[in-house]
Amino acid sequence: VQLVESGGGLVQVGGSLKLSCTTSGFFFDDYAVGWFRQVPGNERAGVASIGGAPGRTHYVDSVKGRFTISNDKVMNTVDLQMDDLKPQDTGVYYCAAEELGDWCPFSAAGYDYWGRGTQVTVSS
């Protein structure tokens, strides 16, 4: 199983970024995929997660209405569209996969496989 994040970068407040997680080695029908954010000194915190068929989505309150998670079963990708970005969205973003039967959308400890992360910096 592999997950590789891309699309991070530097953006101004109010701007947009689209993160992509390219996956291999599993099927979306069997695994959920989540996006997590980590800032120095803090644990990884769940941001959004998608799983099941059709994909059920979950968002933390701080990103509802601004972030959209989606998956593409042909391209094996999970995207996180981030709009109206705020300084508190800054951090390293990781995607991770967890078996659907054990899925707790925002519990990092439950996820089995992780990517290496991509940095997102929102400047004010």
Side-chain angles (χ1 to χ4, degrees), residues 91-110:
V92 178
Y93 282 71
Y94 298 87
C95 62
E98 179 179 15
E99 290 191 55
L100 271 175
D102 302 324
W103 185 27
C104 292
F106 302 130
S107 176

Side-chain angles (χ1 to χ4, degrees), residues 32-33 48-59 69 71 100-101 103 105:
V33 174
S49 188
I50 186 169
R56 302 187 304 274
T57 58
H58 299 271
Y59 300 92
I69 189 171
N71 62 19
L100 271 175
W103 185 27

Side-chain angles (χ1 to χ4, degrees), residues 61-81:
D61 287 345
S62 62
V63 307
K64 285 180 180 177
R66 300 189 298 120
F67 289 13
T68 304
I69 189 171
S70 61
N71 62 19
D72 185 325
K73 295 183 180 182
V74 174
M75 300 300 292
N76 292 321
T77 56
V78 177
D79 292 339
L80 184 67
Q81 176 66 43

Side-chain angles (χ1 to χ4, degrees), residues 5-86:
E5 303 91 342
S6 61
L10 174 64
V11 64
Q12 291 187 332
V13 168
S16 297
L17 278 177
K18 183 178 180 179
L19 305 183
S20 289
C21 176
T22 302
T23 72
S24 62
F26 65 90
F27 297 104
F28 289 153
D29 288 346
D30 302 320
Y31 280 78
V33 174
W35 282 96
F36 290 77
R37 177 174 62 231
Q38 188 170 28
V39 297
N42 287 19
E43 295 183 350
R44 294 178 187 181
V47 174
S49 188
I50 186 169
R56 302 187 304 274
T57 58
H58 299 271
Y59 300 92
V60 293
D61 287 345
S62 62
V63 307
K64 285 180 180 177
R66 300 189 298 120
F67 289 13
T68 304
I69 189 171
S70 61
N71 62 19
D72 185 325
K73 295 183 180 182
V74 174
M75 300 300 292
N76 292 321
T77 56
V78 177
D79 292 339
L80 184 67
Q81 176 66 43
M82 306 187 295
D83 299 318
D84 190 23
L85 282 161
K86 305 177 185 300

